[in-house]
């Protein structure tokens, strides 16, 4: 395996998604001497990455379009020419989706590795000379073994110049702050056993990341560290949400509790915001993957321990949805409810596993008519997520939703406003104006601690705020 590793001039990334796009853009920005090509099988996505109007990029991230403007067409390229690009690549990142399996062995828990496997087979087929393959997708521990095996067994045996080394370098960026996280990460991780390959990847990161933040481990520790980091983060959100539920009947306030515990340097102040439940494409799938791995290795009690994090998260969404119905006199049939926020957190257009999906679905099924607003998520995406098209406000029929651009124009006759995502613009709404327009009693349900309940109550609102 330890064949000649030359300098890295050409890098490819398979997968032009939320990780592949921004990560490669930042590499291109800092390594002007390296040609970076982001590859995908989805032609529409590549077209969107190549769109002239940078507001049409498929990923919305603060700071991203500026980097794409600076690098695209110079040393950053987006392409569907997978074979042609891999042939020339010295290093290939695999950054494809690894969602929970929906059927077959391990369905509902295990990660579906079919896209990782397909990527490894494609690299094996088209790569030339020595290629460093970097696993960037989040994968179960020991996946690199599978990748190595495929790379070695599927390539042409007669071509003895074709060799591979495999590294694990999981990504820790969070959506909404991806560029900031990539530009100044807490750490990057490189797992592997080929020192020359590790050195080459490290040289790339060192162009902008201090050396002491580049950690080296073996392959398996690197893979498991990624799952563990997400499990700890998800567990922390579930922990604060669990305490929020206990605050409500006891008179304690979650903001005061999280502030008080956050002062303890062993606990720390970050990631203690109570919410309608964590969303995003990764926390749930990575926790379930960990549960699957624990069961696979016969650790049933540990599996149950981590599974509870996900169970409580699902409970939190349902708790909030049913509480809204309860407060609105036990029925939302034909009531108009304004939903503020559909993305799973602020500053992203991603809705995967967003709490807004299940809460909206529950209210619609209970007969409510929702008016849904989000500054970055479009109507088509919401229709996809709710598995039903927008109904153009039909006064007589029960249940349905419509997409709105203007909160004030849509507030007339509305019974309740539900804040589900913490977008900045929801922090500065003209509440007096909204109160005038709404049907009374006018309710505000704030799941993200964006409103000042005392001020709203003075205006005349009935306010329910998570964790108080
Ligand atoms: P994504 O769904 O946004 O993008 C994945 C892309 O890979 C898709 O565009 C898909 O078309 C493409 N793809 C799949 N198979 C392919 C193939 N064989 N050839 C070429 N392209 C192919 O996913 P994402 O959010 O970017 O996540 C990618 C990985 O990174 C996952 O394992 C995820 O767990 C991990 N991760 C995600 C985040 C995040 O914030 N989204 C952060 C850290 C790690
Ligand atoms: C998360 C991790 O933070 C990243 O380090 C990791 O790389 C990524 O998953 C991944 O592997 O995909 P992300 O899901 O993009 O990033 O966003 P987070 O900021 O972690 O938020 C996840 C969810 O938790 C959101 O719904 C957010 O609203 C919620 N959350 C977060 C809270 O409810 N409270 C908090 O205090 C923090």
């Amino acid at each position: 395996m330890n064949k000649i590793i030359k300098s890295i001039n050409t890098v490819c990334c398979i997968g032009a998604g939320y990780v592949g796009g921004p990560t490669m853009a930042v590499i291109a920005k800092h390594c002007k001497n390296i040609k970076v090509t982001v590859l995908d099988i989805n032609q529409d996505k590549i077209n969107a990455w190549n769109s002239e109007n940078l507001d049409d990029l498929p990923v919305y991230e603060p700071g991203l379009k500026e980097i794409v403007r600076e690098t695209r067409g110079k040393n950053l390229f987006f392409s569907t020419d997978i074979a042609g690009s891999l042939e020339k690549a010295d290093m290939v990142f695999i950054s494809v989706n690894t969602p929970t399996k929906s059927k077959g062995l391990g369905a509902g828990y295990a990660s579906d590795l079919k896209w990782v496997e397909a990527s490894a087979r494609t690299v094996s087929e088209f790569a030339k000379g020595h290629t460093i393959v970097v696993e960037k997708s989040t994968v179960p521990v020991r996946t690199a073994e599978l990748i190595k095996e495929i790379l070695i067994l599927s390539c042409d045996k007669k071509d003895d110049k074709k060799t591979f080394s495999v590294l694990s370098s999981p990504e820790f960026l969070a959506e909404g702050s991806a560029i900031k996280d990539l530009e100044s990460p807490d750490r990057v991780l490189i797992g592997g056993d080929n020192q020359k390959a590790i050195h080459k990847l490290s040289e790339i990161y060192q162009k902008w990341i201090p050396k002491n933040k580049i950690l080296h481990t073996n392959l398996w520790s690197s893979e498991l560290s990624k799952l563990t980091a997400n499990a700890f983060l998800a567990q922390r959100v579930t922990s604060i949400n669990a305490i929020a539920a206990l605050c409500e009947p006891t008179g304690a306030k979650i903001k005061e509790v999280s502030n008080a515990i956050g002062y303890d340097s062993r606990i720390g102040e970050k990631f203690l915001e109570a919410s309608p439940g964590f969303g995003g494409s990764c926390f749930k799938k990575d926790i379930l993957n960990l549960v699957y791995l624990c069961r696979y290795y016969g650790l049933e009690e540990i599996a149950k321990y981590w599974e509870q994090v996900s169970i409580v998260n699902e409970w939190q969404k349902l708790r909030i949805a049913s509480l809204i119905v309860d407060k609105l006199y036990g029925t939302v049939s034909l009531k108009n409810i304004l939903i503020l926020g559909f993305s799973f957190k602020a500053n992203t257009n991603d809705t995967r596993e967003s709490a807004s999906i299940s809460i909206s679905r529950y209210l619609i099924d209970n007969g409510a008519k929702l008016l849904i607003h989000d500054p970055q998520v479009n109507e088509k995406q919401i229709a996809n997520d709710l598995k039903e098209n927008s109904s153009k406000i039909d006064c007589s029929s029960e249940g349905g939703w419509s997409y709105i651009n203007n909160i004030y124009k849509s507030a007339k006759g509305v019974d309740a406003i539900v804040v589900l995502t913490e977008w900045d613009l929801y922090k500065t709404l003209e509440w007096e104006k909204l109160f005038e327009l709404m049907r009374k009693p006018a309710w505000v349900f704030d799941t993200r601690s964006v409103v000042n309940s005392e001020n709203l109550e003075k205006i005349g609102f009935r306010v329910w705020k998570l964790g108080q």
Side-chain angles (χ1 to χ4, degrees):
M1 270 293 221
N2 217 351
K3 294 278 165 72
I4 309 132
I5 298 184
K6 45 191 192 314
S7 61
I8 306 295
N9 300 315
T10 311
V11 162
C12 283
C13 175
I14 306 184
Y18 282 88
V19 169
T23 310
M24 292 304 121
V26 170
I27 291 184
K29 176 183 162 189
H30 291 283
C31 306
K32 302 269 191 253
N33 56 327
I34 296 181
K35 180 182 174 189
V36 180
T37 308
V38 194
L39 302 165
D40 210 288
I41 38 176
N42 182 334
Q43 183 69 58
D44 289 342
K45 198 171 271 190
I46 291 299
N47 291 347
W49 277 113
N50 284 323
S51 42
E52 231 163 85
N53 182 350
L54 292 169
D55 289 326
D56 294 337
L57 296 181
V59 171
Y60 169 74
E61 278 295 338
L64 174 65
K65 66 178 178 184
E66 288 75 9
I67 299 180
V68 173
R69 183 184 293 126
E70 180 188 330
T71 51
R72 198 179 59 186
K74 296 190 179 103
N75 67 329
L76 177 67
F77 302 88
F78 295 91
S79 168
T80 49
D81 177 15
I82 295 178
S85 307
L86 289 179
E87 268 181 22
K88 299 181 198 101
D90 303 312
M91 184 178 278
V92 178
F93 289 84
I94 298 182
S95 188
V96 296
N97 34 326
T98 49
T100 306
K101 276 182 94 171
S102 59
K103 56 183 182 203
L105 181 68
Y109 289 91
S111 284
D112 197 338
L113 294 179
K114 71 177 172 216
W115 292 278
V116 170
E117 183 178 333
S119 303
R121 288 186 190 281
T122 314
V123 176
S124 175
E125 185 177 354
F126 297 110
K128 292 225 161 94
H130 187 82
T131 310
I132 300 173
V133 177
V134 186
E135 191 185 67
K136 195 147 258 309
S137 294
T138 304
V139 290
V141 54
R142 296 207 75 87
T143 300
E145 197 166 35
L146 164 169
I147 295 178
K148 275 185 185 176
E149 200 162 276
I150 289 171
L151 290 171
I152 294 162
L153 295 181
S154 10
C155 70
D156 182 1
K157 300 283 168 315
K158 282 174 261 157
D159 184 356
D160 65 352
K161 289 204 188 78
K162 193 190 273 206
T163 54
F164 300 97
S165 26
V166 176
L167 300 176
S168 156
S169 186
E171 185 48 61
F172 294 98
L173 69 79
E175 287 178 30
S177 56
I179 299 303
K180 193 176 126 281
D181 296 340
L182 288 163
E183 291 276 15
S184 43
D186 288 344
R187 60 21 192 125
V188 293
L189 191 50
I190 305 179
D193 43 28
N194 181 326
Q195 291 311 316
K196 286 184 185 159
I198 292 172
H199 180 70
K200 286 294 160 199
L201 180 56
S202 192
E203 269 182 347
I204 292 183
Y205 288 141
Q206 277 177 54
K207 291 274 186 218
W208 76 100
I209 299 166
K211 214 173 166 182
N212 62 355
K213 290 195 172 180
I214 304 171
L215 312 184
H216 302 286
T217 64
N218 76 22
L219 278 166
W220 325 123
S221 305
S222 174
E223 291 176 331
L224 189 55
S225 298
K226 173 62 197 177
L227 287 185
T228 307
N230 273 3
F232 271 53
L233 291 167
Q235 180 201 45
R236 200 168 153 95
V237 175
T238 288
S239 298
I240 206 69
N241 282 342
I243 299 302
L246 187 58
C247 285
E248 290 163 24
T250 57
K253 293 183 175 186
I254 194 63
K255 276 274 171 199
E256 293 179 354
V257 174
S258 53
N259 185 46
I261 64 166
Y263 264 88
D264 186 325
S265 58
R266 292 166 304 172
I267 295 175
E269 62 183 0
K270 291 183 185 161
F271 239 71
L272 288 174
E273 299 286 347
S275 69
F278 59 73
S281 61
C282 295
F283 278 178
K284 186 176 174 184
K285 87 160 162 72
D286 293 345
I287 284 268
L288 294 174
N289 184 6
L290 195 61
V291 171
Y292 182 77
L293 282 167
C294 292
R295 293 221 161 98
Y296 181 85
Y297 289 105
L299 300 165
E300 181 56 30
E301 289 308 313
I302 315 295
K304 280 195 204 138
Y305 170 74
W306 287 111
E307 191 165 23
Q308 199 59 24
V309 172
S310 174
I311 291 171
V312 173
N313 195 55
E314 293 306 311
W315 170 83
Q316 173 77 336
K317 298 183 225 173
L318 185 62
R319 175 176 97 82
I320 290 170
S322 55
L323 177 150
I324 294 170
V325 178
D326 188 48
K327 298 268 185 215
L328 296 178
Y329 304 125
T331 176
V332 288
S333 171
L334 296 175
K335 287 181 179 158
N336 294 314
I337 300 179
L338 196 53
I339 299 288
L340 297 185
F342 209 77
S343 58
F344 79 96
K345 62 185 281 198
N347 297 321
T348 176
N349 60 345
D350 194 347
T351 60
R352 290 178 288 182
E353 296 294 337
S354 174
S356 301
I357 300 173
S358 23
I359 294 174
S360 298
R361 195 60 266 168
Y362 183 94
L363 296 173
I364 292 169
D365 292 345
N366 271 268
K369 293 187 292 180
L370 303 186
L371 300 130
I372 303 180
H373 179 271
D374 190 286
Q376 287 297 334
V377 181
N378 61 35
E379 184 172 353
K380 193 170 154 220
Q381 185 59 51
I382 297 174
N384 257 341
D385 291 331
L386 294 177
K387 300 195 170 41
E388 94 177 29
N389 285 327
S390 161
S391 54
K392 292 288 169 222
I393 288 294
D394 167 358
C395 298
S396 56
S397 65
E398 282 211 352
W401 66 281
S402 59
Y403 182 73
I404 61 157
N405 287 314
N406 187 314
I407 296 170
Y408 300 99
K409 275 192 187 151
S410 313
K412 197 165 178 341
V414 155
D415 293 282
I417 295 180
V418 184
V419 183
L420 291 176
T421 313
E422 71 285 19
W423 286 102
D424 272 348
L425 91 107
Y426 301 149
K427 295 176 185 160
T428 53
L429 292 174
E430 294 175 53
W431 289 104
E432 282 92 352
K433 197 166 157 185
L434 290 168
F435 184 73
E436 286 308 311
L437 292 162
M438 288 170 69
R439 189 162 83 154
K440 310 300 179 302
W443 273 94
V444 172
F445 295 90
D446 179 10
T447 69
R448 292 286 190 170
S449 218
V450 305
V451 306
N452 180 321
S453 26
E454 277 169 27
N455 287 352
L456 261 62
E457 276 159 3
K458 271 192 214 136
I459 296 172
F461 279 107
R462 293 193 180 172
V463 183
W464 176 86
K465 202 165 166 180
L466 177 63
Q468 87 174 38

